[in-house]
Structure formats: structure tokens, C-alpha cells
Amino acid sequence: MSKREHWDAVYSRKAPDSVSWFQEHAASSLNLIESLNLDKHKPIIDIGAGVSTLVDDLILNGYLDLTVLDISVTALEIAKRRNGLNSNRVKWQAADVTKVKLPKHQFEVWHDRAVFHFLTKLDERKAYIRNMLYSVKPFGHILIATFADDGPTECSNLPVIRYSANSLQAELGENFLLKLHFIENHRTPFGTSQKFAFCHFIKII
């Protein structure tokens, strides 16, 4: 089964609020973006958004240049339907972030909650980082959340790589400067908890 088939099957079988990563509101992500005090016209991309409501709240908060990328067509269709007419204000892109061709120096903010930790192969991680370097503007913002180093070892029956802020910095390399990091204890719909490491990097080239 391909990655797209896997995630399409997940989103076809399960209601949006019955997956472990569900958040009614992506508060930590939204707060990080709001803390940047950006002009609302600055381009933001949400990588591996799935059916996250972050895009809904960004629209409501007045952000005007939003791109949502996910490998699952099913997930994107669910998010589009949920946003109704507001979905026309978003660029929706069904693609694998390790393979997609993104515009050069397009984005002011690259947001990723829980994609990077699924990249267990070195060549996938290198491709992801290349795309990030290419498509984020110089001195743009990278907001990444992965499972923390004492978080889950798998998700949706797939293995993950867990990170601390330091190990994620080492993985991304010297072109990214760690500005802020914190741990979030995410409460799942099943009453369990998952530790996420949130990191804010600046692209310094």
C-alpha cells in the first residue's frame, strides 16, 4: 500500500475527531503563528495538515495567503467541505512533501505538526529539508512539531522517529537556527497523552 493509499484509508474509515492527533483547535500552532506578528498577506503553508482545523482559525484570524498540503486527497476534501465557501480562500495541494515541486522562496511560514517524524528514511528527510530550504524565504519561519524523545514510537501503525529540540536541530542542519522550543502534552480523544516537541526555527540563508 502506498503512503497516499494508507492515509486515504485512515481518513475514509475514521471520523476526524476519532484519530489520536485530533485537536479541536491547534492552539499551540496558532499561538506560535500569531506570535510572529506577520502582515496578514504573508504566505503560510501547512504541511501534512490532514483535517486539522488550523486553517479554519487562520482564516478567521484574517490570514490571506494560505496553502494546505497533504498527501491524502480524502483528508483535503473533508477539510474543504468543513470550510464551505471559505475553502475558496485556500490553496489546496494533494502531494507528498518529499516529492512535490514548490515555488522558490515563496513562504514566510512553514508549519508542520507531525509529518517529519514519519520520515524514517534518510533520503526522505533530505528531500523534505531541500524542499523547505528552497521554498521558504530567507529568514522565514519553520514551525515543526514531532513526537518528543519520550513520546510514542509509532502512530497509525507506522513507525516514527522521536526528537528533542537538539536532535531536530542536528537533523535540519546549520541553515536553520533554533529560536524557541517547548513540550506539549497532547491529550488524545481516547484519554491518553502524547508528548510533542514544538520547535521554532529561523531559516538563516
Side-chain angles (χ1 to χ4, degrees), residues 72-109:
S72 171
V73 175
T74 302
L76 294 180
E77 288 302 320
I78 292 169
K80 285 183 192 179
R81 288 197 299 271
R82 187 184 65 231
N83 276 281
L85 291 176
N86 278 340
S87 67
N88 295 325
R89 299 166 61 182
V90 179
K91 303 176 188 76
W92 305 90
Q93 190 164 2
D96 181 338
V97 67
T98 66
K99 298 176 181 178
V100 68
K101 176 71 171 177
L102 295 169
K104 185 174 183 179
H105 294 172
Q106 174 67 30
F107 302 108
E108 190 74 28
V109 178

Side-chain angles (χ1 to χ4, degrees), residues 30 40 53-66 68 79 82-92:
L30 183 62
K40 295 299 175 74
T53 61
L54 177 61
V55 66
D56 310 43
D57 287 329
L58 290 173
I59 292 170
L60 290 175
N61 280 273
Y63 292 91
L64 298 170
D65 193 340
L66 301 172
V68 171
R82 187 184 65 231
N83 276 281
L85 291 176
N86 278 340
S87 67
N88 295 325
R89 299 166 61 182
V90 179
K91 303 176 188 76
W92 305 90

